[in-house]
Amino acid sequence: MTRSVITTDNAPSLSAPLSQGIRKGPVLQISGQLPFDPYTGAVVGTTVAEQTAQVLRNVTAVLEAGGAGLEDVVMLRVYLTDPAHLPELNDAYATAVGEPFPARTTVYMQLPPGLLVEIDALAVLDD
């Protein structure tokens, strides 16, 4: 099985040693996405809700570049900077992702200043 790098101009490219996504067979892994506008590089939003919406737009853009959509996602991992942000995240997440919800893990960590949320995704396609 060949491993393919997935890239798109519709999601931010970081200057870190990582790919936006990797696909091997029916499995597509999306690297952690941050709330950056892919065209300007600016952080989008100052609230968890605004940043979550942008992060999920970025996740979706990489999924689409890999031939998938949110309906193919089996796992989302969410990284938050503050446990107090969980209710706001849940509301924005539910609106953007919709039911049936994929499996999810949420962890708390430190992100660079101004960044409140990061999300990565694992999708399985029906090749």
Side-chain angles (χ1 to χ4, degrees), residues 4-7 19-23 28-31 33 62:
S4 302
V5 175
I6 306 301
T7 60
S19 298
Q20 288 175 315
I22 293 288
R23 182 169 177 182
L28 175 59
Q29 176 67 54
I30 308 302
S31 289
Q33 296 295 305
V62 182

Side-chain angles (χ1 to χ4, degrees), residues 25-113:
V27 176
L28 175 59
Q29 176 67 54
I30 308 302
S31 289
Q33 296 295 305
L34 294 164
F36 294 123
D37 180 292
Y39 308 107
T40 67
V43 175
V44 174
T46 57
T47 67
V48 170
E50 292 167 330
Q51 290 194 11
T52 298
Q54 182 61 46
V55 167
L56 288 168
R57 282 191 292 272
N58 294 340
V59 166
T60 299
V62 182
L63 285 167
E64 289 173 353
L70 282 172
E71 66 278 3
D72 298 304
V73 172
V74 296
M75 179 68 172
L76 286 166
R77 281 172 293 270
V78 177
Y79 306 88
L80 283 177
T81 58
D82 186 338
H85 293 160
L86 188 60
E88 186 178 355
L89 164 72
N90 280 336
D91 289 343
Y93 175 95
T95 299
V97 174
E99 292 187 44
F101 299 115
R104 186 181 101 188
T105 297
T106 304
V107 297
Y108 302 99
M109 63 175 284
Q110 185 173 358
L111 290 169

Side-chain angles (χ1 to χ4, degrees), residues 5-18:
V5 175
I6 306 301
T7 60
T8 179
D9 291 335
N10 296 322
S13 293
L14 301 177
S15 60
L18 56 85

